[in-house]
Amino acid sequence: MWHDLQTMIWKEWKEFFTSRSTGRGTLLSTLIILFVLGVFMPLQVGEGWFTQPLSVVVWAWMPIFLTLGMVTDSFAGERERHTLETLLATRLPDLAILLGKILSAVLYGWGIAILSLLLAALTLNLRLKGGPYFYAPEFFAAALGFSLLSTVLFAALGVLSSLRAATARQAYQRLSLILLGFYFLPFMIQFLPTDLRARILEALMGLDWRGMMLALGGVLVVLDVGVLGVCVRRFQRSRLLLD
């Protein structure tokens, strides 16, 4: 199984990074994210980058945007290029094909998140005096965990939207609507009944950052498992071949 996953991950990375239509844009986007998260933002925050965990965690999810093109292209792009039939005709297990496409995006996005955190630490150590500086272990673990769970969630959602989409553009549009839903979700609290809204805000205010991270992490784990389960159920080789 691991060998099959490696084959799929290598295939996805090779197509994504060497394609004439996406390769140069992928490199530029990666460099921009690394500069923003690894140089610009840390310099703006200063020493607080290491002492304010929420600032690190909030920005740690940004690399998921680099995976959107990869996951929405995963099956819809193969369908457009008429290579899906060839892929599904191989002896690779269904689970290896599905998880390989998800993992290729997760490893890419999470790898960028890790590089951004390390580059930020390097930038501030070169800029600030009195070092060396680095993240507290619990802060660093929270940032890594949050970025990993977020990347898994949106990679799985992207692959799910791509499974039945006719084109990669259609899959991207579907995923964009989901992203908008996540973006506006915090604002939906204002439409709740006043008493319920007050209780929710009181509970949130009573949590320290560790409690908030644990609660958020728990929600993301549940969402990850649920979406991955839906992906496994929806991935049916025979139905995809008939499209």
Side-chain angles (χ1 to χ4, degrees), residues 79-214:
R79 188 175 285 113
E80 282 187 280
R81 296 187 295 271
H82 305 290
T83 58
L84 182 60
E85 293 82 359
T86 303
L87 173 63
L88 298 179
T90 64
R91 295 183 179 181
L92 290 172
D94 290 1
L95 195 59
I97 294 176
L98 178 64
L99 293 184
K101 286 184 174 291
I102 295 175
L103 280 175
S104 61
V106 170
L107 292 175
Y108 169 53
W110 195 43
I112 297 302
I114 295 173
L115 286 176
S116 298
L117 290 170
L118 296 178
L119 180 58
L122 176 62
T123 298
L124 289 177
N125 274 280
L126 293 175
R127 178 67 174 83
L128 301 176
K129 297 180 180 180
Y133 298 94
F134 199 69
Y135 311 95
E138 54 192 2
F139 296 173
F140 194 55
L144 293 181
F146 181 69
S147 61
L148 174 61
L149 292 174
S150 301
T151 306
V152 170
L153 176 61
F154 285 99
L157 286 171
V159 169
L160 182 62
S161 67
S162 184
L163 273 174
R164 309 296 295 176
T167 64
R169 181 177 182 180
Q170 184 183 64
Y172 190 88
Q173 290 173 342
R174 291 177 181 177
L175 186 59
S176 297
L177 293 176
I178 297 174
L179 286 172
L180 284 175
F182 275 94
Y183 178 78
F184 286 109
L185 187 61
F187 299 100
M188 296 301 292
I189 192 173
Q190 63 181 316
F191 298 105
L192 296 175
T194 304
D195 293 341
L196 179 58
R197 185 168 68 244
R199 288 199 296 270
I200 292 175
L201 291 175
E202 183 179 358
L204 291 175
M205 293 297 293
L207 292 175
D208 59 5
W209 77 268
R210 295 177 181 84
M212 293 180 64
M213 290 302 100
L214 287 174

Side-chain angles (χ1 to χ4, degrees), residues 27-131:
L27 178 59
L28 179 60
S29 300
T30 301
L31 293 176
I32 291 174
I33 290 293
L34 284 174
F35 174 77
V36 171
L37 296 183
V39 180
F40 180 76
M41 289 304 304
L43 290 178
Q44 296 299 309
V45 177
E47 191 175 341
W49 186 263
F50 298 108
T51 60
Q52 300 173 8
L54 290 181
S55 66
V56 178
V57 175
V58 164
W59 291 102
W61 63 271
M62 281 192 65
I64 66 171
F65 286 106
L66 295 176
T67 70
L68 299 185
M70 182 182 292
V71 293
T72 53
D73 185 76
S74 57
F75 288 101
E78 299 259 16
R79 188 175 285 113
E80 282 187 280
R81 296 187 295 271
H82 305 290
T83 58
L84 182 60
E85 293 82 359
T86 303
L87 173 63
L88 298 179
T90 64
R91 295 183 179 181
L92 290 172
D94 290 1
L95 195 59
I97 294 176
L98 178 64
L99 293 184
K101 286 184 174 291
I102 295 175
L103 280 175
S104 61
V106 170
L107 292 175
Y108 169 53
W110 195 43
I112 297 302
I114 295 173
L115 286 176
S116 298
L117 290 170
L118 296 178
L119 180 58
L122 176 62
T123 298
L124 289 177
N125 274 280
L126 293 175
R127 178 67 174 83
L128 301 176
K129 297 180 180 180

